[in-house]
Amino acid sequence: MIACVDSPVGRLTLTEQDGAITALEWRDEDAPPESDLMQRAAGELAAYFAGNLTRFTLPLAPRGSDFQRAFYRVLRAIPYGETRTYGDLATELGVSAQAIGQACGANPIPVLIPCHRVLSSTGLGGFSGAGGVETKVALLKLEGAASLLL
């Protein structure tokens, strides 16, 4: 089941399977949130973009390798308005910074799993969502992390 919600960073399409969110993509479709989970997800996203929610409580089931799933748990632990570097996370997980970058790019549920909070040691790094780095900056500004960008 999918549901689409409008946001300041574009139309977001959520995928639900077996009672959990499995994907968030930038796609322009027309699918209102019909299930209880999708209605809850739409509400939490609206509250997040309004600046009234700092931690998502939705059940998430990202697909990926054991390493990727461990990485997504670490990402979800980064507090709202804070960032970490690829190197910080590489040290924490005992892998290379490149592996962290690749795992960020493979994140199937961006925004809800906040890969936008991961920066390079010398700048922003990338962002795989629609709009690329501009969307990453918009999300960081929303969270009050813009001072980290200067």
Side-chain angles (χ1 to χ4, degrees):
M1 170 179 295
I2 66 167
C4 300
V5 296
D6 290 318
S7 81
V9 295
R11 178 163 275 205
L12 305 176
T13 300
L14 298 156
T15 303
E16 172 187 350
Q17 186 174 357
D18 299 325
I21 304 294
T22 59
L24 183 150
E25 302 170 278
W26 278 260
R27 291 193 335 230
D28 191 12
E29 297 195 26
D30 187 24
E34 294 179 359
S35 73
D36 289 343
L37 175 58
M38 290 302 203
Q39 289 176 9
R40 196 171 128 212
E44 285 198 15
L45 282 165
Y48 169 78
F49 285 113
N52 298 321
L53 181 81
T54 60
R55 186 166 185 83
F56 293 104
T57 63
L58 302 164
L60 306 178
R63 290 191 177 95
S65 67
D66 289 344
F67 160 70
Q68 287 170 323
R69 287 192 307 275
F71 172 69
Y72 301 144
R73 284 190 295 275
V74 169
L75 278 183
R76 290 185 77 189
I78 300 172
Y80 179 95
E82 295 185 22
T83 61
R84 301 290 184 272
T85 67
Y86 295 106
D88 292 337
L89 299 177
T91 298
E92 183 174 340
L93 291 167
V95 298
S96 70
Q98 291 81 8
I100 297 299
Q102 290 171 347
C104 276
N107 179 4
I109 316 174
V111 181
L112 301 178
I113 298 176
C115 54
H116 60 276
R117 296 179 188 156
V118 182
L119 308 176
S120 80
S121 61
T122 59
L124 286 170
F127 187 69
S128 60
V133 172
E134 288 181 21
T135 298
K136 183 175 192 168
V137 169
L139 293 169
L140 291 170
K141 283 182 178 179
L142 170 75
E143 295 186 8
S147 65
L148 301 170
L149 305 177
L150 302 175

